[in-house]
Every structure is written in C-alpha cells, then in structure tokens.
Amino acid sequence: MIAEVLVEITNSNVDKTFDYNVPDKFINDIKVGIRVEVPFGKRIVNGFVLAVKKCSDLDDLKDISNIIDKEIVLTDELLELGKIVRDKTLATLISCYQVMLPKALKAHVGVQINKKYDYFYKVNGDIGNLKLNDKQKEIIELCKDDFVLKSELVKISVSSFNTLLRKGVLTEERREHYRLNYNDANRVIHKLTPKQKEIYEEIIGYKDLKPSLIYGVTGSGKTEIYMELIDYYLKKGKTALLLVPEISLTTQLINRFVDRFGNKIAALHSALSDGERYDEYRRIQNGEATIVIGARSAVFAPLERIGIIIVDEEHTDSYKQSESNPRYNAKEIAIIRGEMHKCKVVFGSATPSLESMARAKKGVFHLLSLMERVNGKELPEVKIIDMNKEIRRTRGHFSLELVNAIREKVALGEQVILLLNRRGYASFVTCKNCGHAFKCPNCDISLTYHKSSNTMRCHYCGYADKKPFVCPECHEKSINDLGVGTQRIEEELEKLVDAKVLRMDYDTTSRKGAHEKMINAFKNHEYDILLGTQMVSKGLDFPLVTLVGVINADTSLNIPDYNSAFNTFSLLNQVSGRAGRSKKSGIVYIQTFNKDHYAIKYASENNYLYFYEEEMRIRRLLKYPPYYYLCYIRISGKDNNLVNNEANKIKRSLDRNISDIILGPSPSILYKINNIYRYSIIIKYKNIDSIKDILIKINDHYKTNNNIKIEIDFNPLHIM
Ligand code: ADP
Ligand code: ZN
C-alpha cells in the first residue's frame, strides 16, 4: 500500500506530494486526511495523506515512519476547499491546508498540544475481605454507585485513595475535559419587530441560492435577525456559521449568543490559547457545537450539514488575509462553501462594501434593507466641527464645543465614547526647525513615539531608539512628537473634564481578558468616558452612551489607498452608531480639517447611498474595483538593483502576454522593510482568465530563486 503525502518543508517552495510505502503495521490506520511522519532527506517531517493507492510509478520508496492521527483532520470538503483556495490565490497547497487548521492540527514538527482529561473512579464491585480504615470506607461509600471525580476522593485522604487504587478496588474512567465552558442557555429571545420579521421571512422563503445582503443601519437589529435565522436552521437539524470581524468578537456578542444558544456555540478567535482553540475545534468536529462564531479563518470550520453562513460587517478588511499566503478572502470562501452545502449565505452591514452593493444593485445578490432602528429612534444627529476655524479656540486636540458637550453629558450621568482615529501614520517624530523626520533605518518608515519609555519605535521591525534632545541634522533643540497617541489624549482629557476615563487601545488590551474586563467595567458605569482607537467603533452596545466624539476624522483619509474614503466613511458611520442605542437620543461630534470631503459630509448626513453613488463615480473614473479587479504583485529582495531589474523583467513579460492595464513597477509605499527592498506592479483586469496563465508562470519561475521573492495578491484591500 502506498500513501501520497503532502509535506511541509519550511522555507521551501516544494509543493507536491511524495509517495511513501505504508508498512504493514500501519495498514489498518492509514486514511486520507490524516497526518503522518515521513523521512525527507535526512529529516523527519510531518505531512498530510492526500491519497492512498495500490502501487506507485516509483521504486525504492521510503516507509512512513509514524501515524499521528487516529481521526481525520482534513475532511473531503476541506481537501477540496484547499485546492480551490490554491487555485484562487496561487499559494502553495500546503499553506492552504495549514491556514484552515488550529495549531494543534497543523502539520508541524514539534507542536504538541494535548487533550485534557478528568479522571473518575468507581468501586470495582468486588471488595473481598479487605480490611479498611475509616477514610477508605468513606471513599468507598462516596463512589460505590457512580463514577466520582478524583479531586473529590483525594479530598478525603490521598494515601487512602492511593492504597485503594493500588489494591485494584477502584476502576478508573478518563473523560475529556474541554478547556472552555459556556453557560447554559437562558433562552433569551426577543420577539422580532415586524420589519425584522419581514426580512427573516424573506430570506427563509427565498428559493434562489444567491447570497442575500442585509443593508441595515446601525442598531436596526441585524444581529437579532441572525439569531432567529440560525435558530430556524438548527431546528431543521442543520448547523450554522457566523463570521464576524475579530474586533467585534467581544464578550458582548458572544454573550448574546450564549444566552440564547448555550454550549451549542463554539467561538474561534485570536484570544484563545492553542489548547482552547484545539478543544473548540474538536467540539465542532464531533458535532457537539453546531453554531460556530469566528473570525476570518473560521470560514474553514469543519461543520457538516451547514444550513446558513452569515458574514456580519461584511465590508470589513479583516476578512481578507493580506499579510501572508494564502491571501484569501473569507467572503469568497463563504460563497463557495454555500454552493457546496446548497445553503443560505447572508452578508450584513450598515455600510456594505461597494463590491457587494454593486452586486446587489445588479441582482447578483438579493438585497434587503432595514432603515429603522429597533428602538424607533432616529439615527444620532451628527455635528461637524471645522478644526481649521476652531484651531485658535481649541484646548490641545479638543474643540471647545466637544469639551462642553462631554462635560454636559457627564454631568447628566450619561456616558461618552471618544474615537482617536489611528489609521495611518499618526505619531511620528520630527524636528520643528528643519523638518527632519525620524525614520527606521531598516524599514524607511516613520518611527512612532512611545511616551512611557521616551523611545521612538518602528512598528514593522521593532527597531527602537531614545528620542534625542537635539536634532541630528540642524542641532537645534526642537524635536517634536507630532500626531497623537491615546495616552496623550487621555492626559489632555483629564485636565479638561472631571470624569473617569477608560483608555482602550492596543497597549491596554494586550493582556488576556483585559478587553472583556474593560467592557464590563464601562457597562457597569464605573467610567464616564471610553477613549480608544478603532476598537471602540464596532459592535459595542452601551445603553447609557449618548455622545460619541471623533477627535480626528482625517487621518484615515490621508492614507494613499484606494479604499481610504470608504474606510473613513464606514468608520465614522460605525462609531456614530454607538450613540443613542437605547431610550435617549444620541449626538455625534466629528472634528475634521476636511469638512467638505464627501466621505465626511455624507457620514455626517448618515447617507450611505449618496456616498455610494459618489464613490462609484470616482472608482469608475479611476478604473478601480468594482469596475476593475486588481492584482497586486510585490517583488522583493535584499539587493535593490537586482529587485529593480527583475521587477522590470516581470513588467516586460506581462506587457508581452496580456493586454490589461499594468502599473509600475514602482517602489512600494513601504519601500524598505527590515532591509528588504520592495517594488510593486499592479494589474487592473476584467477577466481573471486573461491574466492567470502568465501569473502562474511568473510565480513558478521565482519559486526556486533565493534572492527574489514574489507575492501575488488578488483583490488586495490595501496596496502597500
Ligand atoms: P445591529 O446588529 O443591527 O447593530 P442589534 O441586533 O445589535 O442591531 O440590535 C440593537 C439593540 O436592539 C440590541 O441591544 C438588541 O438587543 C436590541 N434588539 C434588537 N432586536 C430587538 C427586538 N426585536 N426586540 C427587542 N430588542 C431588540
Ligand atoms: Zn523598522
């Protein structure tokens, strides 16, 4: 018997299966989809069995050294999905499989994550004529009828317990113990409003299998509709998958689902330990969890009989894997899995991506609109504060108007959310005299100032240096940390307003559980103001929040990225939606230097559809998505000249082979990272078939080149 094994070899682009002989002792255990250990060169490596067959074209095969799994890791569906992902991204097949699996099930040597067990004991029946002391009798009394947890028995006496065990009086039973526990369902169910019900019924009754897009303003009760839909399919014996952006995978959302569905839920997110993730994954595999809530990679959760796949906040960047291969988009996979399972696929957003809205308008998606909030309240009123005029009256970064509004709300016992828009290159260090900007020597990007350690740091490679007193260029003592961090805003705020401020950003939430604690503390009104980065913009639902302030709406507009207007609009819309979600109306203040920019203007009018029209007009003019698809090619390496030359060669080869629009090569926006030089080529195309063959050729050509690295990203969300 022969097994075809796909191996993971680090730092190599070997991407094919190798035949191995299956020794007799493994014949019964070998299966497609399990992991095995095999000799490769002088090493032993891990790999996935992709096929089992009678004979091989090759002689002299090596033996499989070991079998790792009893149960299948890659089901038939995952095996097929992996191939689809490879075809869509041109990544290696092994990387496509690895990305689907929790660390404990990836094919990596040296990763050992074990199941946890509880040990239970029960009397063996036959005590015979053993002489027992009092403690031993007590133990026997406790577990004579039923299995009892070890910790209960040793509480009585460890030595007596051990004696009984040694003499064979107790039978042991091992039961798996999952690391995470969910509360029981409280069956908290809201009766849907007539409008919610209409959408729910429309989706269920819709016979066509095309995806539905729920365009529903913030607070319109989309999440409640998702729960009702999930319930419906669960009752039909199906399972459900809900994708959410990592950022909104807060306890708030999970708690809502747990309240309703209890331990039918499995939640997959980055705050889980590897062990917890492994357990959650197996609860899905063995059918104990029938609802999966998770971020991007949860789209590969090994659910069977899927009845519905929901992608919430479908416009968010986080569904696209941008940083590493395979550069897949979970929304695309959701649609593909939907076709495989013949199930419902539902996208939802208050600001649908242009791609999805354009599809909906063309009838490719089934469009459902929900324009009213559940509480019957209007969306919050939004006031724009023109910082160009305000600048002389401002207190640091706060306009007088915003400060007054904050004071007023705090005095009324209401709560405030303040957003510091940190997208882009915020707190860089410069010389006020000569304009010298401090950049990372490895990465050529601005260093960020960290006040607590008085250092300047590179966010890409970790390079750090003390902030100097004098400028190395002009020797003046005029070093300035431009831009702002949340810490600095917090200090300003505390001088301006007598209130309790809770700061939520990357630094304060990095410890496990910190995020959850903060949210609960704010909900319990231990604080008046929640100040934070993008983290405070999504998914949060605090009834006492009546004021939202955006300190700097503009930073995200200045990013050189075709999505920057959309991202700004959507961020402002999301964060505004945190205000006035309960009985009292909300108000929003947006501080900006660009009050006439259409993204800011339409955000202040809560007018998604006008924004959509304007943005589509610009996209069409500039030949951007959704009018054209983009393909981004990054060419990188240590030798600047060599990289430049190869980039030009690639461009010429593209010119010869395709007639689509080709831009570049040009130095990437992040030109030098960690001493690696990067160039980009962008293709704007209409039809993937016209460019795929040549891209595959280029990709293969450089696979074995150690000096040049090629990365291809189809439909990138950022061009860096
Ligand atoms: P969205 O996901 O569109 O922002 P949510 O589903 O979070 O909206 O609903 C907003 C608020 O309204 C939540 O606090 C939710 O519990 C409440 N809510 C939603 N639907 C109902 C309903 N039918 N009855 C009562 N409360 C509801
Ligand atoms: Zn750096």
Side-chain angles (χ1 to χ4, degrees), residues 421-433:
N421 184 359
R422 289 272 320 238
R423 265 203 158 101
Y425 318 111
S427 19
F428 37 88
V429 186
T430 56
C431 171
K432 266 192 290 190
N433 186 45

Side-chain angles (χ1 to χ4, degrees), residues 190-192 196 219-224 256 374 541 581:
H190 291 126
K191 196 168 170 318
L192 293 188
Q196 283 173 319
S220 60
K222 295 184 290 297
T223 313
E224 214 64 39
R256 260 171 92 178
V374 174
D541 191 11
R581 292 174 72 87

Side-chain angles (χ1 to χ4, degrees), residues 187-190 200 204 223-240 257 260-261 264 290-291 308 310:
R187 300 285 312 161
V188 179
I189 300 174
H190 291 126
Y200 162 84
I204 289 197
T223 313
E224 214 64 39
I225 300 179
Y226 303 154
M227 291 202 272
E228 203 69 25
L229 287 168
I230 288 172
D231 201 37
Y232 173 86
Y233 288 101
L234 246 48
K235 284 186 179 130
K236 297 190 85 158
K238 304 260 182 155
T239 64
F257 274 81
R260 176 142 179 189
F261 299 105
K264 284 189 198 134
T290 45
I291 305 170
I308 187 163
I310 301 168

Side-chain angles (χ1 to χ4, degrees), residues 78 100 241 268 281 284 292 297-303 306 337:
L78 293 188
M100 298 177 175
L241 175 57
L268 300 172
Y281 195 84
I284 304 166
V292 174
S297 65
V299 75
F300 299 112
L303 285 168
I306 301 179
R337 275 196 100 176

Side-chain angles (χ1 to χ4, degrees), residues 210-375:
K210 63 174 123 162
S212 304
L213 172 65
I214 305 181
Y215 159 45
V217 298
T218 51
S220 60
K222 295 184 290 297
T223 313
E224 214 64 39
I225 300 179
Y226 303 154
M227 291 202 272
E228 203 69 25
L229 287 168
I230 288 172
D231 201 37
Y232 173 86
Y233 288 101
L234 246 48
K235 284 186 179 130
K236 297 190 85 158
K238 304 260 182 155
T239 64
L241 175 57
L242 170 64
L243 298 183
V244 293
E246 184 68 55
I247 200 166
S248 60
L249 257 178
T250 58
T251 35
Q252 279 206 318
L253 180 99
I254 294 177
N255 283 347
R256 260 171 92 178
F257 274 81
V258 170
D259 275 350
R260 176 142 179 189
F261 299 105
N263 60 8
K264 284 189 198 134
I265 304 275
L268 300 172
H269 54 92
S270 64
L272 298 185
S273 70
D274 291 333
E276 287 167 347
R277 184 179 292 268
Y278 178 46
D279 286 355
E280 289 294 87
Y281 195 84
R282 274 173 314 103
R283 287 180 55 238
I284 304 166
Q285 263 180 334
N286 64 27
E288 279 175 53
T290 45
I291 305 170
V292 174
I293 306 180
R296 178 172 64 223
S297 65
V299 75
F300 299 112
L303 285 168
E304 287 171 18
R305 303 183 318 281
I306 301 179
I308 187 163
I309 303 176
I310 301 168
V311 183
D312 189 27
E313 312 273 14
E314 67 85 29
H315 63 279
T316 340
D317 313 354
S318 67
Y319 292 122
K320 175 71 196 271
Q321 174 151 311
S322 302
E323 306 77 31
S324 59
N325 278 340
R327 292 176 158 83
Y328 69 97
N329 192 325
K331 284 196 288 180
E332 200 178 358
I333 308 298
I335 294 178
I336 291 167
R337 275 196 100 176
E339 284 164 6
M340 286 171 151
H341 286 259
K342 300 214 174 359
C343 74
K344 289 278 172 205
V345 176
V346 177
F347 288 181
S349 174
T351 54
S353 63
L354 293 154
E355 289 79 357
S356 295
M357 189 47 112
R359 284 181 181 168
K361 293 206 163 197
K362 271 169 72 181
V364 180
F365 288 177
H366 168 213
L367 180 63
L368 301 142
S369 306
L370 196 53
M371 306 320 293
E372 302 154 15
R373 283 188 146 186
V374 174
N375 62 3

Side-chain angles (χ1 to χ4, degrees), residues 440-445 447 458-463 672-674:
C440 172
N442 307 319
C443 304
D444 196 41
I445 69 159
L447 296 173
C458 171
H459 275 199
Y460 286 86
C461 74
Y463 170 88
K672 188 183 170 200
I673 297 284
N674 229 338

Side-chain angles (χ1 to χ4, degrees), residues 29 45 174 235 259 269 426 491 500 520 533 537 571 637 665:
D29 297 321
V45 299
R174 199 171 77 146
K235 284 186 179 130
D259 275 350
H269 54 92
E491 286 167 8
K500 291 213 179 82
N520 287 334
T533 50
S537 67
L571 173 68

